[in-house]
Amino acid sequence: MFTNRKYYEPYVSPFDPCPPIRVKSYSTPPNLYLGFQPPGLEQFSAQEALYKGTLWKALYDPYQSKREE
């Protein structure tokens, strides 16, 4: 399943005084996977586009906190 959230396991040193975070994550924007803008992309209405920050639905990426996952 495709997701914009990526995960990785950082190196954990045996001498690290803090408790380690075993798995870290980061979000990638949808424009990385689009390549070029095809004609006829579906658009938000003007008011909704101002609220969401983009005109095109394919480029909309809502923020999700780590607690919501």
Side-chain angles (χ1 to χ4, degrees):
M1 184 173 135
F2 173 76
T3 178
N4 286 348
R5 183 148 305 269
K6 308 296 183 207
Y7 299 91
Y8 68 99
E9 297 176 5
Y11 173 73
V12 177
S13 171
F15 304 109
D16 193 359
C18 302
I21 300 174
R22 301 276 181 201
V23 179
K24 292 189 177 187
S25 67
Y26 61 97
S27 179
T28 56
N31 62 331
L32 289 177
Y33 308 104
L34 198 52
F36 64 93
Q37 183 177 333
L41 275 179
E42 191 174 356
Q43 297 180 353
F44 289 119
S45 67
Q47 184 177 3
E48 196 174 5
L50 287 172
Y51 176 75
K52 296 196 176 199
T54 184
L55 181 60
W56 297 280
K57 291 184 178 185
L59 296 177
Y60 176 61
D61 185 26
Y63 174 78
Q64 296 174 347
S65 80
K66 293 178 184 178
R67 294 179 190 166
E68 292 175 1
E69 293 180 347

Short mmCIF file of all heavy atoms in Angstrom, two decimals:
data_model
loop_
_atom_site.label_atom_id
_atom_site.label_comp_id
_atom_site.label_asym_id
_atom_site.label_seq_id
_atom_site.Cartn_x
_atom_site.Cartn_y
_atom_site.Cartn_z
N MET A 1 0.83 -1.18 0.00
CA MET A 1 0.00 0.00 0.00
C MET A 1 0.88 1.25 0.00
O MET A 1 1.83 1.36 0.76
CB MET A 1 -0.89 -0.02 1.24
CG MET A 1 -1.85 1.12 1.30
SD MET A 1 -2.97 0.89 2.68
CE MET A 1 -2.94 2.52 3.33
N PHE A 2 0.58 2.19 -0.86
CA PHE A 2 1.36 3.42 -0.96
C PHE A 2 1.00 4.37 0.16
O PHE A 2 -0.16 4.54 0.51
CB PHE A 2 1.10 4.10 -2.31
CG PHE A 2 1.75 5.44 -2.41
CD1 PHE A 2 3.10 5.55 -2.64
CD2 PHE A 2 1.01 6.60 -2.25
CE1 PHE A 2 3.71 6.78 -2.72
CE2 PHE A 2 1.60 7.84 -2.33
CZ PHE A 2 2.96 7.93 -2.57
N THR A 3 2.00 5.02 0.73
CA THR A 3 1.78 6.03 1.76
C THR A 3 2.84 7.10 1.64
O THR A 3 3.96 6.84 1.17
CB THR A 3 1.81 5.39 3.17
OG1 THR A 3 1.64 6.43 4.13
CG2 THR A 3 3.09 4.66 3.44
N ASN A 4 2.50 8.32 2.01
CA ASN A 4 3.46 9.42 1.99
C ASN A 4 4.35 9.42 3.22
O ASN A 4 5.32 10.15 3.27
CB ASN A 4 2.73 10.77 1.90
CG ASN A 4 2.17 11.01 0.52
OD1 ASN A 4 2.50 10.31 -0.42
ND2 ASN A 4 1.34 12.01 0.40
N ARG A 5 4.04 8.62 4.22
CA ARG A 5 4.86 8.54 5.42
C ARG A 5 5.87 7.41 5.27
O ARG A 5 5.51 6.28 4.95
CB ARG A 5 3.99 8.31 6.65
CG ARG A 5 4.82 8.30 7.90
CD ARG A 5 4.15 8.81 9.15
NE ARG A 5 3.59 10.13 9.10
CZ ARG A 5 4.24 11.25 9.44
NH1 ARG A 5 5.51 11.20 9.76
NH2 ARG A 5 3.62 12.40 9.43
N LYS A 6 7.13 7.74 5.47
CA LYS A 6 8.22 6.76 5.36
C LYS A 6 8.80 6.51 6.75
O LYS A 6 8.81 7.39 7.61
CB LYS A 6 9.34 7.29 4.45
CG LYS A 6 8.85 7.78 3.10
CD LYS A 6 8.26 6.67 2.30
CE LYS A 6 7.85 7.21 0.93
NZ LYS A 6 6.80 6.52 0.31
N TYR A 7 9.33 5.31 6.96
CA TYR A 7 9.88 4.90 8.26
C TYR A 7 11.30 4.40 8.08
O TYR A 7 11.65 3.84 7.05
CB TYR A 7 9.03 3.79 8.88
CG TYR A 7 7.61 4.20 9.13
CD1 TYR A 7 6.62 4.01 8.18
CD2 TYR A 7 7.26 4.81 10.33
CE1 TYR A 7 5.32 4.40 8.42
CE2 TYR A 7 5.96 5.21 10.57
CZ TYR A 7 5.00 5.00 9.61
OH TYR A 7 3.71 5.39 9.83
N TYR A 8 12.12 4.61 9.10
CA TYR A 8 13.48 4.07 9.09
C TYR A 8 13.93 3.79 10.52
O TYR A 8 13.36 4.31 11.48
CB TYR A 8 14.46 5.00 8.38
CG TYR A 8 14.72 6.31 9.10
CD1 TYR A 8 15.86 6.47 9.89
CD2 TYR A 8 13.86 7.39 8.98
CE1 TYR A 8 16.12 7.66 10.55
CE2 TYR A 8 14.10 8.57 9.62
CZ TYR A 8 15.23 8.70 10.40
OH TYR A 8 15.48 9.88 11.06
N GLU A 9 14.93 2.94 10.66
CA GLU A 9 15.47 2.58 11.96
C GLU A 9 16.87 3.18 12.08
O GLU A 9 17.80 2.73 11.42
CB GLU A 9 15.55 1.06 12.09
CG GLU A 9 14.20 0.39 12.04
CD GLU A 9 14.28 -1.12 12.07
OE1 GLU A 9 15.41 -1.66 12.22
OE2 GLU A 9 13.24 -1.76 11.91
N PRO A 10 17.04 4.22 12.92
CA PRO A 10 18.36 4.83 13.07
C PRO A 10 19.31 3.95 13.89
O PRO A 10 18.88 3.04 14.61
CB PRO A 10 18.06 6.13 13.81
CG PRO A 10 16.83 5.84 14.58
CD PRO A 10 16.04 4.88 13.74
N TYR A 11 20.57 4.24 13.77
CA TYR A 11 21.57 3.53 14.55
C TYR A 11 21.39 3.89 16.03
O TYR A 11 21.23 5.06 16.38
CB TYR A 11 22.98 3.91 14.09
CG TYR A 11 24.06 3.36 14.97
CD1 TYR A 11 24.38 2.01 14.94
CD2 TYR A 11 24.75 4.18 15.84
CE1 TYR A 11 25.36 1.48 15.76
CE2 TYR A 11 25.74 3.67 16.67
CZ TYR A 11 26.04 2.33 16.62
OH TYR A 11 27.01 1.82 17.43
N VAL A 12 21.45 2.90 16.89
CA VAL A 12 21.35 3.11 18.34
C VAL A 12 22.69 2.74 18.95
O VAL A 12 23.11 1.59 18.90
CB VAL A 12 20.21 2.26 18.94
CG1 VAL A 12 20.17 2.43 20.45
CG2 VAL A 12 18.89 2.62 18.31
N SER A 13 23.34 3.73 19.51
CA SER A 13 24.65 3.50 20.12
C SER A 13 24.48 2.86 21.50
O SER A 13 23.59 3.23 22.26
CB SER A 13 25.39 4.83 20.27
OG SER A 13 26.56 4.65 21.03
N PRO A 14 25.36 1.94 21.85
CA PRO A 14 25.29 1.36 23.19
C PRO A 14 25.70 2.37 24.29
O PRO A 14 25.42 2.17 25.45
CB PRO A 14 26.24 0.17 23.15
CG PRO A 14 27.11 0.41 21.98
CD PRO A 14 26.37 1.30 21.03
N PHE A 15 26.34 3.46 23.88
CA PHE A 15 26.81 4.47 24.84
C PHE A 15 25.90 5.68 24.91
O PHE A 15 26.22 6.65 25.58
CB PHE A 15 28.22 4.92 24.46
CG PHE A 15 29.19 3.77 24.36
CD1 PHE A 15 29.67 3.37 23.13
CD2 PHE A 15 29.59 3.07 25.49
CE1 PHE A 15 30.54 2.31 23.03
CE2 PHE A 15 30.47 2.01 25.40
CZ PHE A 15 30.95 1.62 24.16
N ASP A 16 24.77 5.63 24.25
CA ASP A 16 23.83 6.75 24.25
C ASP A 16 23.17 6.84 25.63
O ASP A 16 22.56 5.87 26.09
CB ASP A 16 22.78 6.56 23.17
CG ASP A 16 21.97 7.81 22.91
OD1 ASP A 16 22.23 8.83 23.59
OD2 ASP A 16 21.10 7.78 22.04
N PRO A 17 23.24 8.00 26.30
CA PRO A 17 22.65 8.10 27.64
C PRO A 17 21.12 8.22 27.64
O PRO A 17 20.48 7.98 28.65
CB PRO A 17 23.28 9.37 28.21
CG PRO A 17 23.58 10.19 27.01
CD PRO A 17 23.94 9.22 25.92
N CYS A 18 20.54 8.57 26.50
CA CYS A 18 19.08 8.74 26.42
C CYS A 18 18.42 7.46 25.95
O CYS A 18 19.03 6.65 25.25
CB CYS A 18 18.74 9.85 25.43
SG CYS A 18 19.47 11.42 25.87
N PRO A 19 17.17 7.25 26.31
CA PRO A 19 16.47 6.08 25.77
C PRO A 19 16.31 6.20 24.26
O PRO A 19 15.94 7.27 23.76
CB PRO A 19 15.12 6.08 26.48
CG PRO A 19 14.98 7.42 27.10
CD PRO A 19 16.33 8.01 27.22
N PRO A 20 16.60 5.16 23.51
CA PRO A 20 16.60 5.26 22.05
C PRO A 20 15.19 5.30 21.45
O PRO A 20 14.25 4.75 22.02
CB PRO A 20 17.33 4.00 21.60
CG PRO A 20 17.08 3.03 22.70
CD PRO A 20 17.01 3.84 23.96
N ILE A 21 15.10 5.94 20.32
CA ILE A 21 13.89 5.91 19.50
C ILE A 21 14.18 4.90 18.40
O ILE A 21 15.01 5.14 17.53
CB ILE A 21 13.55 7.29 18.92
CG1 ILE A 21 13.32 8.28 20.05
CG2 ILE A 21 12.34 7.20 18.01
CD1 ILE A 21 13.12 9.71 19.59
N ARG A 22 13.55 3.76 18.47
CA ARG A 22 13.87 2.65 17.56
C ARG A 22 13.42 2.90 16.12
O ARG A 22 14.11 2.52 15.19
CB ARG A 22 13.24 1.36 18.06
CG ARG A 22 13.69 0.97 19.44
CD ARG A 22 14.98 0.23 19.40
NE ARG A 22 15.37 -0.15 20.75
CZ ARG A 22 16.60 -0.44 21.07
NH1 ARG A 22 17.54 -0.41 20.17
NH2 ARG A 22 16.90 -0.78 22.31
N VAL A 23 12.26 3.49 15.93
CA VAL A 23 11.73 3.74 14.59
C VAL A 23 11.35 5.21 14.46
O VAL A 23 10.62 5.73 15.30
CB VAL A 23 10.49 2.86 14.30
CG1 VAL A 23 9.93 3.15 12.93
CG2 VAL A 23 10.85 1.39 14.43
N LYS A 24 11.87 5.87 13.44
CA LYS A 24 11.53 7.26 13.17
C LYS A 24 10.77 7.34 11.86
O LYS A 24 10.87 6.46 11.01
CB LYS A 24 12.79 8.12 13.09
CG LYS A 24 13.50 8.24 14.42
CD LYS A 24 14.60 9.25 14.35
CE LYS A 24 15.25 9.42 15.71
NZ LYS A 24 16.22 10.52 15.70
N SER A 25 9.99 8.43 11.70
CA SER A 25 9.21 8.58 10.48
C SER A 25 9.28 10.01 9.97
O SER A 25 9.60 10.94 10.72
CB SER A 25 7.76 8.18 10.73
OG SER A 25 7.15 9.10 11.60
N TYR A 26 8.99 10.18 8.69
CA TYR A 26 8.92 11.49 8.07
C TYR A 26 7.90 11.44 6.94
O TYR A 26 7.57 10.37 6.42
CB TYR A 26 10.29 11.95 7.57
CG TYR A 26 10.89 11.06 6.51
CD1 TYR A 26 10.77 11.35 5.16
CD2 TYR A 26 11.61 9.92 6.86
CE1 TYR A 26 11.32 10.54 4.18
CE2 TYR A 26 12.17 9.10 5.90
CZ TYR A 26 12.02 9.42 4.56
OH TYR A 26 12.56 8.61 3.62
N SER A 27 7.41 12.60 6.57
CA SER A 27 6.38 12.69 5.53
C SER A 27 6.99 13.24 4.25
O SER A 27 7.80 14.17 4.29
CB SER A 27 5.26 13.61 6.01
OG SER A 27 4.28 13.74 5.01
N THR A 28 6.62 12.67 3.12
CA THR A 28 7.08 13.18 1.82
C THR A 28 5.90 13.84 1.10
O THR A 28 4.78 13.36 1.17
CB THR A 28 7.62 12.04 0.95
OG1 THR A 28 6.62 11.04 0.82
CG2 THR A 28 8.86 11.42 1.56
N PRO A 29 6.15 14.97 0.42
CA PRO A 29 5.07 15.67 -0.26
C PRO A 29 4.64 14.93 -1.53
O PRO A 29 5.44 14.26 -2.18
CB PRO A 29 5.67 17.03 -0.59
CG PRO A 29 7.12 16.80 -0.63
CD PRO A 29 7.41 15.70 0.34
N PRO A 30 3.35 15.05 -1.91
CA PRO A 30 2.85 14.33 -3.08
C PRO A 30 3.47 14.78 -4.40
O PRO A 30 3.52 14.01 -5.35
CB PRO A 30 1.35 14.59 -3.08
CG PRO A 30 1.06 15.47 -1.95
CD PRO A 30 2.30 15.73 -1.20
N ASN A 31 4.00 16.01 -4.46
CA ASN A 31 4.58 16.47 -5.73
C ASN A 31 5.85 15.70 -6.10
O ASN A 31 6.27 15.72 -7.26
CB ASN A 31 4.87 17.97 -5.69
CG ASN A 31 5.87 18.35 -4.63
OD1 ASN A 31 5.97 17.67 -3.62
ND2 ASN A 31 6.60 19.42 -4.83
N LEU A 32 6.45 14.97 -5.16
CA LEU A 32 7.61 14.15 -5.49
C LEU A 32 7.25 13.00 -6.42
O LEU A 32 8.09 12.49 -7.15
CB LEU A 32 8.24 13.57 -4.23
CG LEU A 32 8.96 14.52 -3.30
CD1 LEU A 32 9.45 13.77 -2.06
CD2 LEU A 32 10.12 15.17 -4.01
N TYR A 33 6.01 12.55 -6.38
CA TYR A 33 5.59 11.38 -7.13
C TYR A 33 4.79 11.73 -8.39
O TYR A 33 4.34 10.84 -9.08
CB TYR A 33 4.74 10.47 -6.22
CG TYR A 33 5.46 10.15 -4.93
CD1 TYR A 33 5.09 10.78 -3.74
CD2 TYR A 33 6.52 9.26 -4.90
CE1 TYR A 33 5.75 10.51 -2.56
CE2 TYR A 33 7.19 8.98 -3.72
CZ TYR A 33 6.80 9.61 -2.56
OH TYR A 33 7.46 9.34 -1.40
N LEU A 34 4.63 13.02 -8.67
CA LEU A 34 3.80 13.43 -9.80
C LEU A 34 4.61 13.53 -11.09
O LEU A 34 4.08 13.30 -12.16
CB LEU A 34 3.11 14.76 -9.48
CG LEU A 34 1.93 15.13 -10.32
CD1 LEU A 34 0.90 14.02 -10.37
CD2 LEU A 34 1.29 16.40 -9.81
N GLY A 35 5.88 13.88 -11.03
CA GLY A 35 6.71 13.98 -12.23
C GLY A 35 6.44 15.24 -13.01
O GLY A 35 7.24 16.15 -13.04
N PHE A 36 5.31 15.32 -13.66
CA PHE A 36 4.88 16.52 -14.36
C PHE A 36 3.38 16.68 -14.12
O PHE A 36 2.70 15.74 -13.73
CB PHE A 36 5.18 16.44 -15.86
CG PHE A 36 4.42 15.34 -16.56
CD1 PHE A 36 3.21 15.60 -17.18
CD2 PHE A 36 4.91 14.04 -16.59
CE1 PHE A 36 2.50 14.59 -17.81
CE2 PHE A 36 4.21 13.03 -17.22
CZ PHE A 36 3.01 13.30 -17.83
N GLN A 37 2.89 17.88 -14.36
CA GLN A 37 1.48 18.14 -14.11
C GLN A 37 0.66 17.79 -15.35
O GLN A 37 0.72 18.49 -16.35
CB GLN A 37 1.28 19.60 -13.75
CG GLN A 37 -0.15 19.94 -13.41
CD GLN A 37 -0.29 21.39 -13.00
OE1 GLN A 37 0.64 21.99 -12.50
NE2 GLN A 37 -1.47 21.93 -13.22
N PRO A 38 -0.09 16.71 -15.30
CA PRO A 38 -0.90 16.34 -16.45
C PRO A 38 -2.07 17.31 -16.64
O PRO A 38 -2.54 17.91 -15.67
CB PRO A 38 -1.41 14.94 -16.11
CG PRO A 38 -1.28 14.81 -14.65
CD PRO A 38 -0.21 15.75 -14.22
N PRO A 39 -2.54 17.50 -17.86
CA PRO A 39 -3.66 18.40 -18.09
C PRO A 39 -4.96 17.81 -17.52
O PRO A 39 -5.14 16.59 -17.46
CB PRO A 39 -3.74 18.51 -19.61
CG PRO A 39 -3.07 17.30 -20.12
CD PRO A 39 -2.03 16.93 -19.10
N GLY A 40 -5.84 18.69 -17.08
CA GLY A 40 -7.15 18.27 -16.62
C GLY A 40 -7.19 17.70 -15.22
O GLY A 40 -8.07 16.91 -14.92
N LEU A 41 -6.24 18.09 -14.36
CA LEU A 41 -6.28 17.61 -12.97
C LEU A 41 -7.51 18.18 -12.27
O LEU A 41 -7.91 19.31 -12.50
CB LEU A 41 -5.04 18.07 -12.20
CG LEU A 41 -3.80 17.22 -12.30
CD1 LEU A 41 -2.67 17.84 -11.50
CD2 LEU A 41 -4.04 15.82 -11.83
N GLU A 42 -8.11 17.37 -11.42
CA GLU A 42 -9.29 17.81 -10.68
C GLU A 42 -8.89 18.93 -9.72
O GLU A 42 -7.84 18.88 -9.09
CB GLU A 42 -9.85 16.62 -9.89
CG GLU A 42 -11.21 16.88 -9.31
CD GLU A 42 -11.80 15.64 -8.66
OE1 GLU A 42 -11.17 14.57 -8.75
OE2 GLU A 42 -12.86 15.77 -8.07
N GLN A 43 -9.74 19.96 -9.60
CA GLN A 43 -9.42 21.14 -8.81
C GLN A 43 -10.43 21.33 -7.68
O GLN A 43 -11.59 20.92 -7.78
CB GLN A 43 -9.42 22.39 -9.68
CG GLN A 43 -8.39 22.39 -10.76
CD GLN A 43 -8.43 23.66 -11.59
OE1 GLN A 43 -9.32 24.49 -11.43
NE2 GLN A 43 -7.46 23.82 -12.47
N PHE A 44 -9.95 21.98 -6.60
CA PHE A 44 -10.84 22.40 -5.53
C PHE A 44 -11.55 23.68 -5.97
O PHE A 44 -11.10 24.37 -6.88
CB PHE A 44 -10.04 22.73 -4.26
CG PHE A 44 -9.45 21.53 -3.56
CD1 PHE A 44 -8.08 21.39 -3.41
CD2 PHE A 44 -10.26 20.54 -3.03
CE1 PHE A 44 -7.54 20.32 -2.74
CE2 PHE A 44 -9.73 19.45 -2.37
CZ PHE A 44 -8.37 19.34 -2.23
N SER A 45 -12.63 24.02 -5.29
CA SER A 45 -13.26 25.32 -5.52
C SER A 45 -12.30 26.39 -4.99
O SER A 45 -11.38 26.09 -4.22
CB SER A 45 -14.60 25.40 -4.79
OG SER A 45 -14.38 25.37 -3.38
N ALA A 46 -12.49 27.64 -5.37
CA ALA A 46 -11.57 28.71 -4.96
C ALA A 46 -11.50 28.85 -3.44
O ALA A 46 -10.42 28.97 -2.87
CB ALA A 46 -12.00 30.02 -5.59
N GLN A 47 -12.64 28.82 -2.78
CA GLN A 47 -12.66 28.95 -1.33
C GLN A 47 -11.98 27.76 -0.65
O GLN A 47 -11.20 27.93 0.28
CB GLN A 47 -14.09 29.08 -0.83
CG GLN A 47 -14.18 29.31 0.66
CD GLN A 47 -15.61 29.49 1.13
OE1 GLN A 47 -16.54 29.38 0.34
NE2 GLN A 47 -15.79 29.77 2.40
N GLU A 48 -12.26 26.57 -1.12
CA GLU A 48 -11.65 25.37 -0.54
C GLU A 48 -10.15 25.33 -0.82
O GLU A 48 -9.36 24.89 0.01
CB GLU A 48 -12.33 24.13 -1.10
CG GLU A 48 -12.06 22.88 -0.32
CD GLU A 48 -12.87 21.70 -0.81
OE1 GLU A 48 -13.58 21.80 -1.82
OE2 GLU A 48 -12.77 20.65 -0.17
N ALA A 49 -9.72 25.81 -1.99
CA ALA A 49 -8.30 25.84 -2.33
C ALA A 49 -7.53 26.78 -1.41
O ALA A 49 -6.41 26.49 -1.00
CB ALA A 49 -8.12 26.27 -3.78
N LEU A 50 -8.13 27.91 -1.05
CA LEU A 50 -7.48 28.83 -0.11
C LEU A 50 -7.35 28.19 1.27
O LEU A 50 -6.36 28.37 1.96
CB LEU A 50 -8.27 30.13 -0.01
CG LEU A 50 -8.16 31.05 -1.21
CD1 LEU A 50 -9.15 32.21 -1.08
CD2 LEU A 50 -6.75 31.57 -1.35
N TYR A 51 -8.34 27.42 1.66
CA TYR A 51 -8.31 26.75 2.96
C TYR A 51 -7.27 25.63 2.99
O TYR A 51 -6.55 25.47 3.97
CB TYR A 51 -9.70 26.19 3.27
CG TYR A 51 -9.76 25.40 4.54
CD1 TYR A 51 -9.74 26.03 5.78
CD2 TYR A 51 -9.84 24.02 4.52
CE1 TYR A 51 -9.80 25.31 6.95
CE2 TYR A 51 -9.89 23.28 5.68
CZ TYR A 51 -9.87 23.94 6.90
OH TYR A 51 -9.92 23.21 8.05
N LYS A 52 -7.16 24.87 1.91
CA LYS A 52 -6.27 23.70 1.88
C LYS A 52 -4.86 24.03 1.41
O LYS A 52 -3.95 23.23 1.57
CB LYS A 52 -6.87 22.61 1.00
CG LYS A 52 -8.18 22.11 1.61
CD LYS A 52 -8.61 20.82 1.03
CE LYS A 52 -9.86 20.38 1.77
NZ LYS A 52 -10.13 19.00 1.62
N GLY A 53 -4.66 25.18 0.77
CA GLY A 53 -3.32 25.60 0.38
C GLY A 53 -2.88 25.14 -1.00
O GLY A 53 -1.74 25.35 -1.38
N THR A 54 -3.76 24.52 -1.77
CA THR A 54 -3.43 24.11 -3.13
C THR A 54 -4.70 24.06 -3.96
O THR A 54 -5.79 23.84 -3.45
CB THR A 54 -2.73 22.73 -3.16
OG1 THR A 54 -2.37 22.43 -4.50
CG2 THR A 54 -3.61 21.64 -2.62
N LEU A 55 -4.54 24.29 -5.24
CA LEU A 55 -5.69 24.27 -6.14
C LEU A 55 -6.03 22.84 -6.57
O LEU A 55 -7.18 22.51 -6.79
CB LEU A 55 -5.40 25.14 -7.36
CG LEU A 55 -6.50 25.27 -8.40
CD1 LEU A 55 -7.76 25.87 -7.80
CD2 LEU A 55 -6.03 26.13 -9.56
N TRP A 56 -5.02 21.98 -6.68
CA TRP A 56 -5.22 20.65 -7.23
C TRP A 56 -5.36 19.61 -6.13
O TRP A 56 -4.57 19.54 -5.19
CB TRP A 56 -4.06 20.29 -8.15
CG TRP A 56 -4.01 21.21 -9.30
CD1 TRP A 56 -4.77 21.16 -10.44
CD2 TRP A 56 -3.18 22.36 -9.43
NE1 TRP A 56 -4.45 22.21 -11.26
CE2 TRP A 56 -3.47 22.96 -10.67
CE3 TRP A 56 -2.21 22.95 -8.64
CZ2 TRP A 56 -2.85 24.10 -11.12
CZ3 TRP A 56 -1.59 24.09 -9.08
CH2 TRP A 56 -1.91 24.65 -10.32
N LYS A 57 -6.35 18.74 -6.27
CA LYS A 57 -6.62 17.71 -5.27
C LYS A 57 -5.48 16.70 -5.19
O LYS A 57 -5.20 16.16 -4.13
CB LYS A 57 -7.93 17.01 -5.58
CG LYS A 57 -9.13 17.91 -5.37
CD LYS A 57 -10.43 17.17 -5.57
CE LYS A 57 -11.59 18.13 -5.30
NZ LYS A 57 -12.89 17.46 -5.38
N ALA A 58 -4.79 16.46 -6.28
CA ALA A 58 -3.69 15.48 -6.29
C ALA A 58 -2.50 15.97 -5.46
O ALA A 58 -1.69 15.15 -5.01
CB ALA A 58 -3.24 15.21 -7.71
N LEU A 59 -2.38 17.28 -5.24
CA LEU A 59 -1.25 17.82 -4.50
C LEU A 59 -1.58 18.13 -3.05
O LEU A 59 -0.74 18.62 -2.31
CB LEU A 59 -0.73 19.09 -5.19
CG LEU A 59 -0.16 18.88 -6.58
CD1 LEU A 59 0.26 20.20 -7.19
CD2 LEU A 59 1.00 17.91 -6.55
N TYR A 60 -2.78 17.83 -2.61
CA TYR A 60 -3.19 18.11 -1.23
C TYR A 60 -2.65 17.02 -0.32
O TYR A 60 -2.80 15.82 -0.57
CB TYR A 60 -4.70 18.18 -1.12
CG TYR A 60 -5.19 18.38 0.29
CD1 TYR A 60 -4.83 19.51 1.02
CD2 TYR A 60 -5.98 17.43 0.91
CE1 TYR A 60 -5.26 19.69 2.31
CE2 TYR A 60 -6.42 17.60 2.20
CZ TYR A 60 -6.06 18.74 2.90
OH TYR A 60 -6.49 18.91 4.18
N ASP A 61 -2.00 17.43 0.75
CA ASP A 61 -1.44 16.50 1.73
C ASP A 61 -1.77 17.01 3.12
O ASP A 61 -1.09 17.90 3.64
CB ASP A 61 0.07 16.39 1.55
CG ASP A 61 0.70 15.36 2.46
OD1 ASP A 61 0.00 14.42 2.86
OD2 ASP A 61 1.90 15.50 2.76
N PRO A 62 -2.80 16.49 3.77
CA PRO A 62 -3.15 16.98 5.11
C PRO A 62 -2.11 16.56 6.13
O PRO A 62 -1.48 15.52 6.02
CB PRO A 62 -4.49 16.30 5.39
CG PRO A 62 -4.47 15.08 4.56
CD PRO A 62 -3.67 15.41 3.33
N TYR A 63 -1.92 17.41 7.14
CA TYR A 63 -0.99 17.10 8.21
C TYR A 63 -1.60 16.06 9.14
O TYR A 63 -2.75 16.18 9.56
CB TYR A 63 -0.64 18.36 9.01
CG TYR A 63 0.21 18.07 10.21
CD1 TYR A 63 1.57 17.84 10.06
CD2 TYR A 63 -0.33 18.00 11.47
CE1 TYR A 63 2.36 17.54 11.15
CE2 TYR A 63 0.46 17.72 12.57
CZ TYR A 63 1.80 17.48 12.40
OH TYR A 63 2.58 17.20 13.48
N GLN A 64 -0.84 15.06 9.46
CA GLN A 64 -1.27 14.05 10.43
C GLN A 64 -0.19 13.96 11.51
O GLN A 64 0.97 13.71 11.19
CB GLN A 64 -1.44 12.69 9.77
CG GLN A 64 -2.52 12.66 8.74
CD GLN A 64 -2.57 11.33 8.00
OE1 GLN A 64 -1.65 10.54 8.10
NE2 GLN A 64 -3.63 11.11 7.27
N SER A 65 -0.58 14.18 12.74
CA SER A 65 0.39 14.09 13.81
C SER A 65 0.74 12.61 14.06
O SER A 65 -0.01 11.71 13.69
CB SER A 65 -0.13 14.74 15.08
OG SER A 65 -1.00 13.89 15.76
N LYS A 66 1.85 12.39 14.70
CA LYS A 66 2.28 11.03 14.98
C LYS A 66 1.35 10.33 15.97
O LYS A 66 1.24 9.12 15.98
CB LYS A 66 3.71 11.04 15.55
CG LYS A 66 4.72 11.50 14.52
CD LYS A 66 6.10 11.55 15.12
CE LYS A 66 7.08 12.09 14.12
NZ LYS A 66 8.42 12.22 14.65
N ARG A 67 0.65 11.11 16.77
CA ARG A 67 -0.28 10.53 17.74
C ARG A 67 -1.52 9.96 17.06
O ARG A 67 -2.15 9.07 17.59
CB ARG A 67 -0.71 11.58 18.74
CG ARG A 67 0.42 12.04 19.61
CD ARG A 67 -0.03 13.09 20.58
NE ARG A 67 1.10 13.69 21.24
CZ ARG A 67 1.05 14.80 21.93
NH1 ARG A 67 -0.09 15.44 22.07
NH2 ARG A 67 2.13 15.27 22.51
N GLU A 68 -1.88 10.49 15.90
CA GLU A 68 -3.08 10.04 15.21
C GLU A 68 -2.87 8.71 14.49
O GLU A 68 -3.83 8.08 14.09
CB GLU A 68 -3.52 11.08 14.18
CG GLU A 68 -4.03 12.38 14.80
CD GLU A 68 -4.35 13.42 13.78
OE1 GLU A 68 -4.21 13.15 12.57
OE2 GLU A 68 -4.75 14.52 14.17
N GLU A 69 -1.64 8.31 14.29
CA GLU A 69 -1.37 7.09 13.53
C GLU A 69 -1.62 5.84 14.30
O GLU A 69 -1.51 5.63 15.40
CB GLU A 69 0.07 7.10 13.01
CG GLU A 69 0.27 8.15 11.98
CD GLU A 69 1.71 8.16 11.47
OE1 GLU A 69 2.58 7.53 12.07
OE2 GLU A 69 1.93 8.82 10.47
#
